[in-house]
Amino acid sequence: MNFASDNTAGVAPAILNAIAQANEGHALGYGGDDWTARLQDRFSELFETRVRVFPVATGTAANALSLAAISPSWGLVYCSEAAHINTAEANAAGFFGGGLKLVPVTGNHGRIAAEALRETLAAIQPGQLHRGQPAAVSLTQASDLGAVYRIADIRAISEVAKARGLRVHMDGARFANALARLGCSPAEMSWRAGVDILSFGATKNGGALCDAIVVFTPELTDGLAVQLRRAGQVWSKMRFASAQLAAYVADGLWLRLAQASNAAAARIAAGIAGLPGLRLVAPVEANELFLEVPSPAMDALEQDGFQFYRRSPTLARFVCRFDVTESEADALVAALKRHCAAPARAAE
Amino acid sequence: MNFASDNTAGVAPAILNAIAQANEGHALGYGGDDWTARLQDRFSELFETRVRVFPVATGTAANALSLAAISPSWGLVYCSEAAHINTAEANAAGFFGGGLKLVPVTGNHGRIAAEALRETLAAIQPGQLHRGQPAAVSLTQASDLGAVYRIADIRAISEVAKARGLRVHMDGARFANALARLGCSPAEMSWRAGVDILSFGATKNGGALCDAIVVFTPELTDGLAVQLRRAGQVWSKMRFASAQLAAYVADGLWLRLAQASNAAAARIAAGIAGLPGLRLVAPVEANELFLEVPSPAMDALEQDGFQFYRRSPTLARFVCRFDVTESEADALVAALKRHCAAPARAAE
Amino acid sequence: MNFASDNTAGVAPAILNAIAQANEGHALGYGGDDWTARLQDRFSELFETRVRVFPVATGTAANALSLAAISPSWGLVYCSEAAHINTAEANAAGFFGGGLKLVPVTGNHGRIAAEALRETLAAIQPGQLHRGQPAAVSLTQASDLGAVYRIADIRAISEVAKARGLRVHMDGARFANALARLGCSPAEMSWRAGVDILSFGATKNGGALCDAIVVFTPELTDGLAVQLRRAGQVWSKMRFASAQLAAYVADGLWLRLAQASNAAAARIAAGIAGLPGLRLVAPVEANELFLEVPSPAMDALEQDGFQFYRRSPTLARFVCRFDVTESEADALVAALKRHCAAPARAAE
Amino acid sequence: MNFASDNTAGVAPAILNAIAQANEGHALGYGGDDWTARLQDRFSELFETRVRVFPVATGTAANALSLAAISPSWGLVYCSEAAHINTAEANAAGFFGGGLKLVPVTGNHGRIAAEALRETLAAIQPGQLHRGQPAAVSLTQASDLGAVYRIADIRAISEVAKARGLRVHMDGARFANALARLGCSPAEMSWRAGVDILSFGATKNGGALCDAIVVFTPELTDGLAVQLRRAGQVWSKMRFASAQLAAYVADGLWLRLAQASNAAAARIAAGIAGLPGLRLVAPVEANELFLEVPSPAMDALEQDGFQFYRRSPTLARFVCRFDVTESEADALVAALKRHCAAPARAAE
């Protein structure tokens, strides 16, 4: 029973079918094909504005190249201490950004607080040219602790950012999970709330081999196109990537998949609510649970066949895949009750 | 009738099937899966030595990250003036290599000559620390003008390189085409001839969404693994990439595909041999033909429905896809006879 | 009365004389001159081991190029949160290091604690190739809060570092001040305590236009020489830089200058000891004082003609120049008594 | 008798005096001092427009940071094959420019021809986003073969450049020599002819430890200021650099020095004119001579005590310092007659 990551899952069948169906006739390379052209239209419709969508191989590429597009190489990019870009991508942002620097800003549950950002910026004098320059903010939606920014949060942060000329990036590796949670439109959660550029995740939510960058601010497009090419992120047979993304958002598939994994996480959270000896470090608002669990209980869970990620000796992460079953969720609840509730009491 | 590029073709069905078949059960992310483990064994067997194979999204990524792995950021990397890395990848090598510099070396038909490399290196004093330092050589096999290095050529270049401590990279975007042409083993054309690291192309020869880096020199592996991660080239669902590469080399598929496109190119070359007014700028040894064609004849070919690439006002490139048909090849021969032979005579 | 920075001071006359005296005859460019050759010998004698010393224009260059020399571009470099490299150099280390990342480690008074480093490293699994890799530690001596590492501290940190294969850099912008404080030899405070490479500051302590990198680990030398060249840090008339550094360390000048500024800082610290309403945030062990001072008191000090640096609304930095006078120090003490002691009491 | 380089010379006494005279009182660091403020005014007057002048340590820094300021990291920068930035600076431009690429353009005597640039640009389709993008042109004035662009040449190149949106950089390591030759104003040879940013050399012409970047296009200034800081090119005691540059241009000193070295070179050229067996590869228009000389004759010259630079086995470079004497020049003429004329005849 695998709760290690959403990327241990397979691929939604409709997406595999789309790859196969793209295999007809000849097509211009490097995105000059009809599938990629149609993808532009489809995403523009989805986001209710003209966007440019660039399929890329991974979320790391989406994040790092997005940040490099909105920050000069001497820029400071504000993010949560817990942000994936800060903890898990081998400083890809610093690399693609030519030395740009990620700067943690406080907040709760893996999120930035608008007020903390305001204070951070207030402490930096404009015109102090001997230091890095504030350039951008990156929000992880859903956050890396499984929480979700509300629309008002995003707007508040964007306002603080734009008042100082900073651009706003959203790391939407779990964009669909957050969207499913909030029940709002893609536009409301992105450009209408001030987002300039979005890492649009698909892989973690039933996708196969591509995520995307969605650009809302047109002047970023041309430079980014060249950067993607030399970053080795422009497939010559792009149609097989574009087809995946088109299938992902067709007929609400992406939202159904995200609802399923969100629901499983909520089911687990409900199942363990109120148990002594178990503490969630953040509210469960997407498909992840972060639980304080004693180390021996983690051992016991593993012996029972549960896979999950030990973030620290006392913090465990459980991620619900799009194809997790109710019985898997219930089995995890039962095991947590068995191993964690009791030993934790003993430890008190 | 599309002779514009080999990447306008679709994908060999066996490769698409392999993607679908990889969609079973759960698997560890980022290459920790069984498909990727088996791929290591399969390629090691294929190359008759223990290799490390890293699937990557594109040939540009394979080339640039390979060069960054074998050159310090102040390195000089010698290549043909016509090399893809020098002309068509937006200086990805310079970017990933932190400012490494590509330096053209002369030779014929898109190839470097060992003697020219020797002279170039002889003019650079060791210990001259105020200039870029010779670091590596990159060979494009087959070359970007459709010619193929012989084993002895590769060995001679490697010897010159290694005598000065330079490492050797092969851009094998059309490795299979060259291999099919020479009829030798993958080992003979790579590490046995001195190659340290190989960009192993699949996309141009019936692949879908991945190429690979094959490392023969073990000390390059760990650093490269980190670099790939932060380059956004490590898919979380790696199994769907590894499965493609495994299918590509299974049962000789890759060689059959390359033989087909090579044969079509040879058929066209034979068909136009001896015609006045038509000149091949390089021998046709893989699946590409580079023909001096007057500009009005190019217009006429396009009006007849032929797609190809105008490299200059008087140089046309025709590339044979793995699925080109004999009738397409013959139609091109007939059209070339019709449009090119006559006007060229007139121009004399 | 200027306590804003040690770089507001002029230059020790002996150093200016040395520049003038280097203006005789012709000399090979780019460090091929006799002055630079003699500098190698002089510093090797000073450090009691064969070193390589590279004059550079600034401490930022010394730090960033030193770190780039001991860390791969995917490296993590541990330093104090307060370190100059982390707060004040516009991420030069990230830039020259091709995206290397600075990671704060806790400790007191601008210093890293060996135990905190040990815990940080223990939390990172070797072989986890999907994240940045621990590569180096950077110690600021004296620290950016005016404290000084003891020899045992440096040794303890080096041991933790070397047990994991990390290299050790010392930012010695105020190396002389720390040395004067500890009364030990340059060797004891550097390579004998595990330091691989040193930013050797001169500017802040009576120098003019150059600092230096001192390399204790010979294999770093050749690569660094090329990097310096392309970093624009190799003067063609190097003799005029080397002469400055030679004069700086001749006849104990550097230590006398540091003793003077240290003594002035100690005099001020003694003068305000025990006063209510004034709090030093770190012990005064070199030539800097960091005082918690209410904002209105800072205004009053400025109105009295004192220049200093407001690190925050309630934290003031006072730096003693090499040529500060006792009467300047006493005037500051008097003013602090006047303005700070009383209002602070009022604020209680 | 040293003709190896102009950087083997000492420093003009007025410049050394200026360093000494700047040593009075205290001054704000990092360019916040009065000397640097006055330098802005002085250079603005000199160039007859408001400029921003940044002192930097070396010409390599001036060139590389200027190019990084006018080209995106994916830019192509056109220059002469012989340009110092292309041959002698360890690809500093590629490094500081994040992977920008230098592209040689043909012309004569180390100069670019406007027509060649026009043809090069015409072959690149705008909107081809899969390759590097034309971004800038760099002119070396005087050229690296000792020739000088005429004003009309610079204007013609700038026009071609600007018609495609490219910016124009001038590498003026020998700006004064070219200016002295042409007898025009600094404005005419720079911004009035289309130059956006200038590497203003002083070191080779009697300076000591600094050159400068002069910015004519104001929007480049702020970003460049930050870049210089993190490039380690902003001295904390900037006044000692600014004072050098102020002295360099005071009372026509820079032009007198350049006239002297130009005159010596012209005297040598006149002395060998018409001699059989000696061939200048470029007209002598500044302070350098490039002579085809047989290898044995080079040996003989060295035995006579002449120092010069062997660019190849048959090409010698002789550079006249600002303080070369007429008798040194005449001695070189005599030696060239002795050793080169005769053996060359014999070789015919």
Side-chain angles (χ1 to χ4, degrees), chain D residues 236-299:
Chain D
S236 61
K237 291 181 178 167
M238 183 67 86
R239 54 173 153 162
F240 297 97
S242 296
Q244 292 176 52
L245 291 167
Y248 177 66
V249 299
D251 304 320
L253 173 64
W254 62 317
L255 294 175
R256 285 198 307 280
L257 299 174
Q259 282 154 357
S261 56
N262 283 2
R267 185 179 183 94
I268 297 166
I272 62 173
L275 284 181
L278 274 176
R279 200 178 78 82
L280 284 163
V281 303
V284 178
E285 300 180 341
N287 66 327
E288 296 187 288
L289 300 100
F290 290 81
L291 265 175
E292 286 190 357
V293 175
S295 192
M298 292 201 217
D299 297 342

Side-chain angles (χ1 to χ4, degrees), chain D residues 73-291:
Chain D
S73 64
W74 54 82
L76 303 176
V77 176
Y78 300 97
C79 64
S80 166
E81 178 82 46
H84 205 256
I85 56 171
N86 191 43
T87 63
E89 297 182 355
N91 201 20
F95 173 67
F96 281 107
L100 69 76
K101 191 173 182 183
L102 301 175
V103 179
V105 169
T106 55
N108 68 11
H109 308 137
R111 292 175 298 206
I112 291 174
E115 191 50 33
L117 178 64
R118 189 193 313 275
E119 284 166 19
T120 298
L121 291 173
I124 297 174
Q125 286 186 306
Q128 160 53 293
L129 297 180
H130 296 310
R131 307 215 165 167
Q133 304 291 305
V137 180
S138 178
L139 309 177
T140 318
Q141 175 77 322
S143 91
D144 290 280
L145 290 175
V148 168
Y149 286 96
R150 300 307 182 270
I151 302 299
D153 299 334
I154 302 171
R155 284 183 181 275
I157 291 167
S158 293
E159 271 168 33
V160 172
K162 307 233 153 164
R164 276 291 284 267
L166 280 67
R167 288 227 158 98
V168 179
H169 167 250
M170 179 174 281
D171 175 0
R174 294 186 179 89
F175 188 82
N177 298 87
L179 202 64
R181 167 75 191 197
L182 296 183
C184 64
S185 73
E188 283 176 284
M189 206 171 81
S190 57
W191 64 276
R192 285 211 181 106
V195 174
D196 293 290
I197 192 166
L198 167 68
S199 296
F200 181 88
T203 304
K204 290 179 188 297
N205 186 39
L209 290 170
C210 69
D211 294 310
I213 298 175
V214 180
V215 184
F216 303 110
T217 300
E219 64 261 37
L220 302 175
T221 304
D222 279 4
L224 184 53
V226 187
Q227 275 286 48
L228 284 163
R229 171 63 170 149
R230 71 174 185 157
Q233 293 287 341
V234 179
W235 283 286
S236 61
K237 291 181 178 167
M238 183 67 86
R239 54 173 153 162
F240 297 97
S242 296
Q244 292 176 52
L245 291 167
Y248 177 66
V249 299
D251 304 320
L253 173 64
W254 62 317
L255 294 175
R256 285 198 307 280
L257 299 174
Q259 282 154 357
S261 56
N262 283 2
R267 185 179 183 94
I268 297 166
I272 62 173
L275 284 181
L278 274 176
R279 200 178 78 82
L280 284 163
V281 303
V284 178
E285 300 180 341
N287 66 327
E288 296 187 288
L289 300 100
F290 290 81
L291 265 175

Side-chain angles (χ1 to χ4, degrees), chain B residues 134-220:
Chain B
V137 180
S138 178
L139 309 176
T140 317
Q141 176 77 325
S143 90
D144 290 281
L145 290 175
V148 168
Y149 285 97
R150 299 306 182 271
I151 302 300
D153 300 334
I154 303 170
R155 284 183 181 277
I157 290 167
S158 293
E159 272 168 32
V160 172
K162 308 235 154 162
R164 275 291 286 267
L166 280 67
R167 288 228 158 97
V168 179
H169 166 250
M170 179 174 280
D171 175 358
R174 294 187 180 90
F175 189 81
N177 297 88
L179 203 64
R181 166 75 188 198
L182 295 183
C184 64
S185 74
E188 284 176 283
M189 207 171 82
S190 58
W191 65 275
R192 285 211 180 105
V195 174
D196 293 290
I197 193 166
L198 168 67
S199 296
F200 181 88
T203 305
K204 291 180 187 298
N205 186 38
L209 290 170
C210 71
D211 293 310
I213 297 174
V214 180
V215 184
F216 303 110
T217 300
E219 65 262 37
L220 303 175

Side-chain angles (χ1 to χ4, degrees), chain B residues 29-31 52 72-75 97-100 128-133 221-227 229-230 234, chain C residues 29-31 52 72-75 97-100 128-133 221-227 229-230 234:
Chain B
Y30 300 112
R52 179 75 180 268
S73 64
W74 55 80
L100 69 76
Q128 161 53 293
L129 297 181
H130 296 310
R131 307 215 165 166
Q133 303 292 303
T221 303
D222 280 4
L224 184 53
V226 186
Q227 274 286 48
R229 171 63 170 149
R230 72 174 184 157
V234 179
Chain C
Y30 301 112
R52 178 75 180 270
S73 64
W74 54 81
L100 68 76
Q128 161 51 295
L129 297 180
H130 297 309
R131 306 213 164 166
Q133 303 292 303
T221 304
D222 280 4
L224 184 53
V226 186
Q227 274 285 51
R229 172 61 170 149
R230 73 174 184 156
V234 179

